[in-house]
Amino acid sequence: MILIGINPKDNAAEAEAISYIENYKQLAIVEMHRTGVPASITMAQALHESNIGKSNLATRANNHFGIKCKRYWRGSTYYHKDDDLDDQGNLIKSCFRSYENAIDSYVDHSNFLKFSHNYSELFELSRTDYVGWAIGLKSAGYATDAQYAAKLIRNIEKFQLMELDQAPNPLRKVKNLN
């Protein structure tokens, strides 16, 4: 059946995004309860930064958030062209963090936001204030894209990711078994 006005490529991309969300939403929820980073923000950033898990950075380095090395990074690295320029203004390869698996990427993303001074003001916001978090991330310098906050908000609203921010801690059940 062909639907008039519906682009099959859009449907395929939406299905891929929904599958990606299903694969990682519990991890985003656990990280929200551990660090206070809203699960909606984590998922929206992961969808955008990793191109739904299909970017070279995600597939080759398990980096789902586009986190660069920084001077203090002592873990594995992966280099690819992004937005860094040499002294002559030529695009050069940027150093990105590389992880053993996607879980490590999600945990490091939460830690990166929680323990970086640049993002400390975000933790004064409610975890249900995804608009404030999105704007705050852009203002704090997470991304150079002028439309970054709007893109996060669009993904959150399109996929109803704000519902994840209300989720109970899935690990609480494990603690009660003792």
Side-chain angles (χ1 to χ4, degrees):
M1 177 172 154
I2 297 175
L3 300 174
I4 297 172
I6 302 294
N7 184 340
K9 288 183 180 178
D10 290 344
N11 287 340
E14 190 168 310
E16 288 176 342
I18 291 168
S19 177
Y20 183 89
I21 293 164
E22 286 300 315
N23 284 336
Y24 294 106
K25 70 181 183 182
Q26 288 300 318
L27 183 53
I29 291 167
V30 167
E31 286 301 294
M32 173 179 68
H33 287 284
R34 185 178 71 85
T35 64
V37 177
S40 62
I41 289 292
T42 297
M43 288 307 311
Q45 285 190 280
L47 285 168
H48 177 71
E49 296 287 347
S50 75
N51 188 27
I52 314 170
K54 298 184 299 183
S55 71
N56 281 340
L57 198 54
T59 60
R60 295 184 179 172
N62 286 310
N63 186 330
H64 289 246
F65 298 93
I67 299 177
K68 291 188 176 179
C69 293
K70 308 291 183 198
R71 279 182 238 142
Y72 56 84
W73 179 249
R74 298 292 176 248
S76 298
T77 60
Y78 176 78
Y79 287 84
H80 86 109
K81 291 184 179 178
D82 182 49
D83 58 4
D84 289 328
L85 305 174
D86 65 14
D87 294 338
Q88 289 76 42
N90 300 310
L91 191 63
I92 58 171
K93 289 184 177 182
S94 301
C95 181
F96 286 87
R97 298 177 184 194
S98 180
Y99 306 97
E100 287 290 319
N101 52 55
I103 294 170
D104 291 344
S105 178
Y106 274 72
V107 170
D108 190 48
H109 168 261
S110 300
N111 289 341
F112 180 75
L113 295 179
K114 180 73 174 175
F115 300 112
S116 295
H117 178 71
N118 289 5
Y119 307 107
S120 61
E121 289 184 13
L122 293 174
F123 293 89
E124 296 174 16
L125 300 173
S126 166
R127 77 174 188 213
T128 60
D129 183 5
Y130 65 88
V131 172
W133 272 81
I135 292 168
L137 282 168
K138 171 59 185 137
S139 297
Y142 192 94
T144 56
D145 181 352
Q147 296 300 311
Y148 191 73
K151 289 175 181 179
L152 295 182
I153 293 166
R154 192 174 318 121
N155 274 337
I156 290 168
E157 293 175 351
K158 179 177 184 175
F159 297 107
Q160 299 295 298
L161 298 176
M162 73 285 280
E163 293 175 11
L164 300 177
D165 299 335
Q166 304 295 330
N169 186 346
L171 297 181
R172 175 164 272 169
K173 294 175 188 171
V174 173
K175 288 181 182 177
N176 290 336
L177 293 176
N178 293 333

